[in-house]
Amino acid sequence: DGLDQVFDDQKNASDEKWQKRTDALEASQEKASKALENRYDKRIAKVKEAQKVDDAVFKTREKMFAAEEKRMQRLATLFSGGIDYNAAIDSGQLDEAAKIMSDMQSQSAQWGIDDQRSAMDDAATKRKDGRDVQIDKIGGQKDKALDKLKDRQKAQDAALAKDKKRDQEALQSN
């Protein structure tokens, strides 16, 4: 009985020692995983922030180009419509002149809106696609790094289990 008690005490002490080492290793591995994940999340956040800034600059530039395009179209429409309007006035067709003037204004406004919407949609889509590719690339790098870390952690776990088994075998042989 006394010998069994000594053996049980040694085994319990060994189990406690290995449990503490296992717990410490798991805590270390979890900390490393979180640190790695945070590092990649920060990189992704920086890319997203750059995207926001770029979107704002792009929006401003697009507004300027759209405004110029709109102005050019309106001038062309007004010039052409002005000729038709003057011809209608000169020939005494006042109803036709009023219709021409109304059509010119409506068409000019619609073209400006359509062109602006189309240009902005196309450019925004291209920029977003570029950023999505960049985010996916960083995410892939993050996944690879986490996989390597998990492989290293598995190797550490296996080495710890081997050491524990060896220690227990040594205890049993005593």
Side-chain angles (χ1 to χ4, degrees):
D1 272 343
L3 203 51
D4 285 341
Q5 184 61 37
V6 169
F7 180 73
D8 286 343
D9 289 344
Q10 285 179 340
K11 183 178 179 327
N12 288 340
S14 176
D15 287 346
E16 284 180 29
K17 176 180 110 178
W18 284 106
Q19 187 60 47
K20 285 180 183 177
R21 285 184 69 184
T22 301
D23 291 345
L25 181 61
E26 287 174 359
S28 171
Q29 291 171 345
E30 181 66 26
K31 184 178 177 182
S33 291
K34 286 184 179 184
L36 184 66
E37 210 168 318
N38 287 337
R39 187 170 50 233
Y40 280 96
D41 288 344
K42 285 179 183 178
R43 287 180 63 192
I44 290 170
K46 285 181 182 180
V47 171
K48 286 182 178 181
E49 185 60 33
Q51 176 66 44
K52 285 181 185 177
V53 170
D54 197 41
D55 286 346
V57 169
F58 175 76
K59 249 184 189 176
T60 302
R61 187 174 44 242
E62 277 303 302
K63 284 181 183 178
M64 291 181 344
F65 285 129
E68 181 62 17
E69 184 177 56
K70 186 176 179 181
R71 185 185 73 78
M72 296 289 288
Q73 288 175 348
R74 284 188 179 166
L75 284 175
T77 300
L78 289 175
F79 182 74
S80 176
I83 292 171
D84 293 342
Y85 175 77
N86 286 332
I89 293 282
D90 286 344
S91 65
Q93 298 173 341
L94 299 180
D95 289 342
E96 182 65 22
K99 182 181 177 278
I100 290 170
M101 182 59 73
S102 176
D103 289 347
M104 285 186 333
Q105 290 172 345
S106 176
Q107 186 178 31
S108 178
Q110 186 60 46
W111 284 344
I113 291 169
D114 290 346
D115 289 344
Q116 186 177 11
R117 181 181 299 128
S118 177
M120 290 179 76
D121 287 349
D122 290 347
T125 299
K126 286 180 185 177
R127 298 298 278 187
K128 184 184 179 310
D129 290 347
R131 296 295 185 201
D132 287 344
V133 166
Q134 193 172 9
I135 289 170
D136 289 344
K137 181 179 176 184
I138 293 171
Q141 291 171 346
K142 174 184 171 182
D143 291 342
K144 285 180 184 177
L146 284 172
D147 288 342
K148 285 181 182 179
L149 179 64
K150 286 178 184 176
D151 289 343
R152 187 172 64 230
Q153 290 170 345
K154 284 179 185 177
Q156 290 172 338
D157 290 343
L160 184 63
K162 213 181 222 185
D163 288 346
K164 182 178 179 180
K165 183 179 179 184
R166 194 176 330 113
D167 198 34
Q168 287 176 339
E169 287 172 355
L171 276 175
Q172 289 176 351
S173 68
N174 288 337

